[in-house]
Amino acid sequence: MNSGPGAADEAPVDEIVEALRGVAQLGGFFALGTVRGPGSGGGHLTWEGFSARARTVNERLATAETRIGVSIAHLGLAARLWSPVLACALVHGIVPVMTTVEWADDGSSLRLAGPRGSRAPRSAAALADAVAAQADGVLQRVESHLPARVAPRLLAGNSASALVGSAAQLLRLRPGLRGPLTELTRDLLETGRLRGTGRITGPELSFRRRSCCLYYRVPNGSTCGDCCLVR
């Protein structure tokens, strides 16, 4: 999968910035700020930054089990990557290049340094590949330096859960996108490591994953709505 646009399909920077500004108005995880220069994070989601956020999750959930904080922080990061990429692709026809995404502050918000992007491919398969490369591809690079060992299928399940959760939220906000959004989401669930992570269970993009994010292990925790442990 390519990490950036080719010269023929590259979108102007102003259009990319406007597209991201537009989808940010959807709120929540769709917000992705931009910095015209190289930014302050060296163009990367650093492992130190992720580790700090995982520790914060552990403290907030009052659990000492490191892999729980890692999994929950990873799930949140996945949602912040999938949401703006999905929305930009379907609402504005632009796939932003996420390789220069960085932490925006001491919280979990993200911003894109030196924004670049490409026109969304017309082929369904090519679009799925392009979107996956800029969301799940960046997420996998973060996973190469996690502060605790977490099962690869759990991480893939987190990514799939975040993908479908982002798609379901976009569907609620933009119901007119139902057809292309449902098609793209299904295609993405058959792309790369997301294949076999779960299945869509309803027209509103409800989902049942085949792994668990470990939230049930925190004090007073419970299973999530898409968890494989739900009966």
Side-chain angles (χ1 to χ4, degrees):
M1 293 182 288
N2 294 329
S3 61
D9 59 1
E10 189 167 358
V13 172
D14 287 344
E15 285 190 33
I16 298 160
V17 171
E18 283 304 310
L20 289 168
R21 196 172 289 158
V23 301
Q25 295 178 15
L26 297 170
F29 294 128
F30 294 97
L32 179 66
T34 57
V35 182
R36 291 294 183 122
S40 61
H44 298 287
L45 295 177
T46 63
W47 69 267
E48 296 96 339
F50 181 84
S51 295
R53 284 153 181 81
R55 287 194 297 271
T56 298
V57 171
N58 277 109
E59 292 168 2
R60 188 179 75 242
L61 298 178
T63 176
E65 192 172 350
T66 306
R67 66 185 185 126
I68 294 176
V70 169
S71 177
I72 302 304
H74 175 269
L75 185 57
L77 175 59
R80 291 186 183 279
L81 292 170
W82 280 113
S83 297
V85 178
L86 270 179
C88 276
L90 289 172
V91 177
H92 296 282
I94 289 175
V95 180
V97 173
M98 299 291 279
T99 51
T100 58
V101 72
E102 62 181 23
W103 306 113
D105 49 37
D106 290 335
S108 55
S109 298
L110 302 178
R111 67 184 180 188
L112 194 60
R116 294 184 300 132
S118 61
R119 303 292 180 191
R122 295 187 179 183
S123 157
L127 178 59
D129 280 345
V131 169
Q134 301 309 330
D136 196 51
V138 171
L139 187 65
Q140 288 184 68
R141 285 193 281 279
V142 175
E143 293 167 15
S144 66
H145 292 90
L146 293 179
R149 181 173 177 79
V150 180
R153 291 309 288 169
L154 185 156
L155 296 174
N158 277 356
S159 184
S161 177
L163 156 64
V164 184
S166 298
Q169 179 65 7
L170 183 56
L171 177 59
R172 286 190 285 272
L173 295 168
R174 294 292 185 92
L177 292 174
R178 179 181 296 278
L181 177 56
T182 300
E183 179 183 12
L184 177 57
T185 304
R186 290 187 183 278
D187 287 344
L188 284 164
L189 288 174
E190 294 297 323
T191 301
R193 67 167 180 171
L194 300 186
R195 187 177 293 111
T197 53
R199 60 186 178 88
I200 293 173
T201 59
E204 304 307 310
L205 298 181
S206 52
F207 184 62
R208 178 61 57 87
R209 59 185 286 180
R210 293 193 173 96
S211 60
C212 175
C213 71
L214 304 179
Y215 182 70
Y216 80 98
R217 294 177 63 86
V218 308
N220 301 313
S222 60
T223 54
C224 303
D226 65 357
C227 185
C228 64
L229 302 178
V230 174
R231 299 299 181 188

